[in-house]
Amino acid sequence: MTAVSPSSTLVGPFSGRSDDFVTYATARNWIGGLWCDPKSNKSIHDVLNPRFGKAIAQVKHGGTDDVDSAANTAAKAALEWSRWPIRDRAHVLYRLRELMLKNIDELSWLVSHENGKVFAEAKAEVEKGIECVEFGCSLPNLAAGNHLEVSRGVACEVAYAPLGVVAGVTPFNFPIMVPLWMLPQALVGGNAFVLKPSERVPLSTMRLAELLKDAGLPAGVLNIVQGGKEVVEALCDHPLVKAIGFVGSTKVAKAVYGRASMHGKRALCLGGAKNHLIVVPDADLEMTAENVVASFTGCAGQRCMAASVLLAVGDVDHILKAVRDRAAKIQIGKDLGPVTSQAARDRITGFIDAAEKQGARIVLDGRKSSATSGGFWVGPTIVDGVTPDMPVAREEIFGPVLSVMRVPNLDKALEIENSNPYGNASSVYTSSGDIARRVMAHVEAGMCGVNIGVPVPREPFGFGGWNDSCFGAGNITGWDGYRFWTRQRKITSKWALQRDQNWMS
Ligand code: NAD
């Protein structure tokens, strides 16, 4: 086993309890229950608070040798951890749940500061993370295998065995929830984990690691290697790592899926999105307006479930007006947080500029929005008269921008929606059961909503899209998650010679 470099004590609680700027500890690797510096990679990057555009902390990037150290530490820890009864493993999550609830404000402020989302959104994220932990707590009740006498005196049983060392790579937009899409099932399943959080938001998972330690998770069962591409590629290549869960953009999801699969690893890689909402004239005005605005502006549009294109079927001008009026009331900084970086801001406003040049109408313009704190702001933006060839119609923008496309009927709406390569989420707004059923039957998306703008399948239902939004089979959460992080052992046994012999006897 590779030795772990010198460590320091716990980083402890985050002190921020408001939007006021506060700094936090340097993010380093967590290996064997200790914070340690990278072995050889010396690169240090700022972790920005996007509200201010100022460094809240630094992150020291690890490298290939840190992945090797983490994987070896995890392999050793997995030997003992996998022997714990599943109920005892789940008890660690029970205690984590209590600790997360006790520290929910601290965790939410930390998420808010490193990611930029407003406190209420950050708290909702932590609450959803807790819901994922609760699913993990329920696994001892769900994960019983099957047992059947398949012929006289011969029984077959199926049990779920851990894979050993597994890894997760997560994006910037949900610093605590997305790691918790993976950890509960993987850990209760008896695996040891190596996590590579987004280098833009490495701080929340530091606290999560410490809370898991306090909850009784043995050292080495969860390890964190900070960094970027080099660390991810090393995880894909490392022989001890048996499975990789990835959440991020489509380009990287595809690359990680290809690289991990080439090494014979199990991989489930969730990618980007371009979510469409279909609005028909019979939709409820109030509910639709509120929902559409929440969907495209929530978390500054930086959600893989955010609405991006509104397909306006027929005359829905009264609904579009209500959407615009509601979105115009959003207060920058209070209701809507900043986007993640200056580069993200430039990319988003670039999409709006291009659409305007191509003849679309900017009916609500967030390009000039700013806050006194500095930082990276884009206000709610609605672009009308978008045509399918425009980049705002085709590409993932990942900002608070709604592109409106006018279509004459439902078939055309479905045709446009289904021609986009992604397949994460889709919603229809209608009061007709027939229209809802037609959309649900024909739309190319894994997570669909009827009068719901962010149709996240809540626990125990599995989260995962289709097409270019997901590479690999199944969902990352729910029961599929447990199946992903475990393998089935089939045991066929008999205990006495049977008189009526058959080929199995
Ligand atoms: P990203 O793809 O840039 O980064 C995701 C992770 O991959 C990070 O940990 C990053 O360090 C790593 N990474 C980046 N470039 C890499 C490379 N070339 N090789 C290997 N690893 C690399 O994504 P992001 O900007 O952090 O997150 C936003 C994206 O994530 C959006 O596209 C969004 O739709 C998607 N997302 C999808 C889901 C889902 O469930 N489908 C959920 C959340 C976010």
Side-chain angles (χ1 to χ4, degrees):
M1 194 191 105
T2 326
V4 172
S5 52
S7 66
S8 76
T9 49
L10 299 184
V11 296
F14 177 63
S15 62
R17 289 296 180 278
S18 71
D19 288 328
D20 293 348
F21 185 78
V22 188
T23 56
Y24 194 53
T26 299
R28 300 187 295 154
N29 298 331
W30 174 252
I31 297 177
L34 303 168
W35 293 115
C36 35
D37 281 331
K39 283 174 174 299
S40 52
N41 191 341
K42 298 284 177 254
S43 62
I44 301 179
H45 297 257
D46 284 344
V47 178
L48 297 182
N49 176 330
R51 183 175 280 270
F52 297 88
K54 273 188 354 198
I56 172 178
Q58 267 77 45
V59 54
K60 292 189 173 180
H61 282 215
T64 307
D65 40 8
D66 300 296
V67 168
D68 188 51
S69 174
N72 279 288
T73 303
K76 192 159 172 261
L79 288 176
E80 174 58 23
W81 175 244
S82 64
R83 291 189 188 119
W84 285 33
I86 187 169
R87 193 160 166 267
D88 294 354
R89 295 195 298 252
H91 279 170
V92 173
L93 291 193
Y94 275 82
R95 291 190 289 271
L96 175 66
R97 177 183 180 277
E98 293 313 305
L99 289 170
M100 288 184 73
L101 283 170
K102 193 171 150 205
N103 298 292
I104 192 160
D105 281 357
E106 181 217 332
L107 292 170
S108 307
W109 279 118
L110 183 52
V111 167
S112 173
H113 279 239
E114 72 168 339
N115 168 276
K117 60 183 72 173
V118 298
F119 178 75
E121 292 169 340
K123 193 163 181 184
E125 168 177 351
V126 178
E127 282 167 350
K128 184 65 178 60
I130 291 171
E131 195 172 294
C132 296
V133 172
E134 286 167 0
F135 181 74
C137 294
S138 74
L139 280 169
N141 298 316
L142 298 174
N146 291 319
H147 183 277
L148 187 72
E149 186 177 42
V150 289
S151 66
R152 190 176 295 270
V154 177
C156 264
E157 71 181 273
V158 175
Y160 294 95
L163 295 163
V165 179
V166 297
V169 178
T170 53
F172 82 86
N173 62 333
F174 284 94
I176 211 158
M177 181 191 78
V178 172
L180 287 171
W181 282 356
M182 304 179 189
L183 288 169
Q185 285 90 328
L187 296 181
V188 176
N191 301 288
F193 207 96
V194 182
L195 177 66
K196 206 299 285 172
S198 166
E199 60 275 44
R200 267 183 269 161
V201 293
L203 310 177
S204 302
T205 41
M206 288 167 73
R207 278 303 284 147
L208 190 63
E210 293 192 342
L211 293 182
L212 268 162
K213 179 181 176 142
D214 292 347
L217 190 74
V221 176
L222 169 65
N223 306 277
I224 298 176
V225 182
Q226 311 287 359
K229 184 177 179 192
E230 179 186 337
V231 172
V232 177
E233 291 184 344
L235 287 168
C236 291
D237 297 346
H238 201 286
L240 281 175
V241 175
K242 301 300 178 198
I244 298 214
F246 173 92
V247 180
S249 60
T250 288
K251 187 169 150 242
V252 184
K254 209 169 180 174
V256 169
Y257 183 75
R259 192 160 180 143
S261 306
M262 195 177 69
H263 288 290
K265 292 185 202 315
R266 216 175 258 199
L268 181 55
C269 300
L270 275 59
K274 186 78 185 167
N275 304 315
H276 290 58
L277 307 177
I278 297 178
V279 177
V280 303
D282 72 3
D284 180 274
L285 180 69
E286 273 289 292
M287 181 164 70
T288 306
E290 185 182 319
N291 235 259
V292 169
V293 173
S295 180
F296 88 89
T297 64
C299 298
Q302 299 176 123
R303 289 191 283 198
C304 68
M305 299 296 280
S308 184
V309 174
L310 188 152
L311 291 157
V313 181
D315 182 5
V316 293
D317 279 354
H318 60 299
I319 299 175
L320 294 175
K321 181 178 178 309
V323 167
R324 190 212 166 276
D325 291 349
R326 186 173 269 274
K329 290 195 185 117
I330 285 179
Q331 287 184 35
I332 308 297
K334 179 170 169 282
D335 310 317
L336 181 82
V339 297
T340 182
S341 62
Q342 185 59 42
R345 189 186 183 281
D346 293 345
R347 193 195 63 241
I348 295 163
T349 54
F351 273 113
I352 306 167
D353 294 345
E356 191 173 37
K357 278 200 192 98
Q358 289 168 313
R361 276 187 314 121
I362 314 300
V363 295
L364 186 63
D365 193 347
R367 283 174 290 188
K368 298 261 180 327
S369 299
S370 62
T372 49
S373 58
F376 318 121
W377 302 88
V378 184
T381 299
I382 300 175
V383 187
D384 202 348
V386 169
T387 52
D389 53 310
M390 294 180 184
V392 272
R394 292 197 320 268
E395 289 173 38
E396 182 173 35
I397 300 173
F398 226 52
V401 180
L402 186 69
S403 302
V404 178
M405 276 198 252
R406 309 285 184 148
V407 290
N409 55 46
L410 198 56
D411 286 345
K412 190 67 189 169
L414 282 167
E415 184 194 314
I416 291 174
E417 174 162 3
N418 288 347
S419 67
N420 98 85
Y422 298 100
N424 218 40
S426 167
S427 292
V428 60
Y429 287 88
T430 180
S431 37
S432 153
D434 183 45
I435 289 177
R437 264 197 303 272
R438 274 173 62 196
V439 175
M440 292 303 107
H442 298 294
V443 79
E444 282 284 320
M447 294 174 279
C448 302
V450 177
N451 300 316
I452 302 265
V454 185
V456 173
R458 301 282 298 269
E459 312 312 309
F461 298 101
F463 188 103
W466 290 2
N467 305 333
D468 280 1
S469 295
C470 186
F471 301 88
N475 300 295
I476 195 107
T477 64
W479 180 241
D480 275 11
Y482 189 69
R483 295 275 305 249
F484 177 73
W485 299 111
T486 57
R487 49 193 165 163
Q488 292 180 34
R489 177 178 281 125
K490 284 77 63 180
I491 304 162
T492 307
S493 52
K494 87 175 174 211
W495 294 95
L497 184 65
Q498 299 299 319
R499 300 230 165 273
D500 49 344
Q501 287 188 355
N502 62 25
W503 64 271
M504 252 185 168
S505 305

